[in-house]
DNA sequence: TCGCTCATGTAAATAGTTACATGATTCC
DNA sequence: GGAATCATGTAACTATTTACATGAGCGA
């Protein structure tokens, strides 16, 4: 029982970024603070402990940057870290995953192509499409049943959720088309 | 310094439900477990402590259900609880609110009509529309700049976010139209 | 009587937030 | 020399998760 606690979303985000480029904690914080990944906290109280956890788990290693300038600790993936990242990305998508929020799924998707190849990306998209269309159907059913007993604002709030999922569904179709097109061009 | 910690989203969800109907902790858990509000946890370790916090803050009161059957504690809003709920719903919408996730906003919106009246609902929608169109514009700009340097999957992940916001924007227009129509019918 | 659901709660552990602390380095 | 930024970290606190505990009523 080596008490392996499960890897959090923030930790996976860090793994994905470190896969692209070994970086310091400060670099990573800046990425969260300035880019579209801003939904993650850039607070040192989140990042540094997360990096330490990853190191204790053996998923990353760090060493002091050689040479001049300020003291910086450059963190990079270990082999096990790369494996963990790949496995996380390729996890099958469940109904619950989607209901819990697209955030996790989108992060996996964003890393999928460089880390696990376009084949994994396409597979993710297909699974996502399946899950989404089931969910949209189910919610539309709920909506029809409850229409009469809910206040308009609550009705519309539910409709907002449905539309959100539906937009993601259309997006998934669009993304799949892009990848299909890419495949044809590549083999031509 | 009476150390008033700020009210969490779960607590606000509970307040909103209790506004509609005084209920037991178990009732509330069932709502989270079975309805479209399933994004909240139905675990007793979340709900019962939250109810207790609300009671210490003086936002709800509870009393044992009269009569027979199993022991049940029925919780209901106090006057201060109702005020707190209304104020939370009518908070002005900021850019950050929207970026942090539509979840909080949608909960406020869902409760808005019964708790604060259709006027508040319309105001919320207008503010939301403004914030969303600014965000969609900004993200499209980022997209154009970064298009060339991102892998396709990352590009598409960003596009997914944009489309999500855009869908909400269209939804807000749609919802506003519904309320306008309602207003005309009402005054006719 | 046996088991299931109802109903309320507690205990331990965890990630994340906020705020503070501390130096070194660069820029003016 | 002084201020701002770079860079790493710690400490206290909070809500939530997971798991356990307990007892009462209901149905077969």
């Amino acid at each position: 029982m080596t008490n392996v606690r499960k890897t959090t979303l923030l930790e996976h985000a860090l793994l994905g970024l470190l896969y692209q480029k070994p970086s310091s904690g400060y670099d990573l914080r800046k990425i969260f603070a300035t880019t579209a990944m801003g939904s993650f906290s850039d607070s040192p109280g989140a990042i540094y402990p997360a990096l330490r956890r990853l190191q204790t788990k053996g998923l990353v290693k760090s060493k002091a940057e050689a040479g001049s300038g300020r003291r910086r600790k450059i963190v990079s993936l270990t082999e096990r870290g790369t494996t963990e990242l790949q496995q996380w990305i390729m996890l099958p998508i469940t109904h619950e995953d989607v209901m819990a929020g697209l955030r996790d799924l989108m992060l996996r998707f964003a890393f999928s192509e460089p880390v696990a190849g376009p084949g994994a990306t396409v597979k993710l998209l297909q699974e996502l499409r399946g899950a989404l269309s089931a969910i949209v159907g189910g919610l539309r059913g709920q909506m029809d049943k409850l229409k009469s007993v809910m206040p308009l604002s609550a009705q519309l709030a539910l409709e907002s959720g449905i539309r959100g999922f539906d937009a993601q569904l259309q997006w998934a179709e669009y993304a799949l088309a892009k990848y299909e097109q890419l495949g044809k061009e590549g083999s031509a």
Side-chain angles (χ1 to χ4, degrees), chain A residues 101-111 125 128 168 171:
Chain A
L102 281 319
R103 205 168 157 243
D104 302 40
L105 277 333
M106 278 306 140
L107 191 66
R108 284 168 58 185
F109 177 79
F111 290 141
L125 282 174
L128 184 60
Q168 297 304 322
W171 167 85

Side-chain angles (χ1 to χ4, degrees), chain A residues 67-97:
Chain A
S68 68
R70 298 181 161 92
R71 91 186 202 276
R72 280 163 52 88
K73 247 171 73 177
I74 302 297
V75 184
S76 56
L77 287 192
T78 61
E79 214 168 311
R80 282 189 51 205
T82 308
T83 308
E84 158 63 30
L85 180 60
Q86 284 167 344
Q87 286 178 343
W88 173 69
I89 286 172
M90 297 195 295
L91 240 37
I93 294 180
T94 69
H95 180 93
E96 285 73 34
D97 290 338

Side-chain angles (χ1 to χ4, degrees), chain A residues 43-56:
Chain A
S43 84
I47 304 235
Y48 290 108
L51 287 174
R52 181 126 37 113
R53 288 197 301 272
L54 289 173
Q55 193 159 6
T56 0

Side-chain angles (χ1 to χ4, degrees), chain A residues 11 16 30 45 58 66 74 79 96 109 137 142 155 161 167 173 180:
Chain A
E11 285 167 16
K30 269 202 309 197
I74 302 297
E79 214 168 311
E96 285 73 34
F109 177 79
Q142 260 198 54
Q155 230 179 92
E173 310 271 15
E180 259 176 40

Side-chain angles (χ1 to χ4, degrees), chain A residues 118-151:
Chain A
T121 306
V122 169
K123 201 172 170 193
L124 270 185
L125 282 174
Q126 287 167 341
E127 288 183 16
L128 184 60
R129 178 177 54 182
L132 278 171
S133 73
I135 286 173
V136 169
L139 286 178
R140 287 218 193 284
Q142 260 198 54
M143 180 71 164
D144 290 340
K145 276 183 203 160
L146 299 175
K147 215 167 202 164
S148 46
V149 298
M150 285 194 295

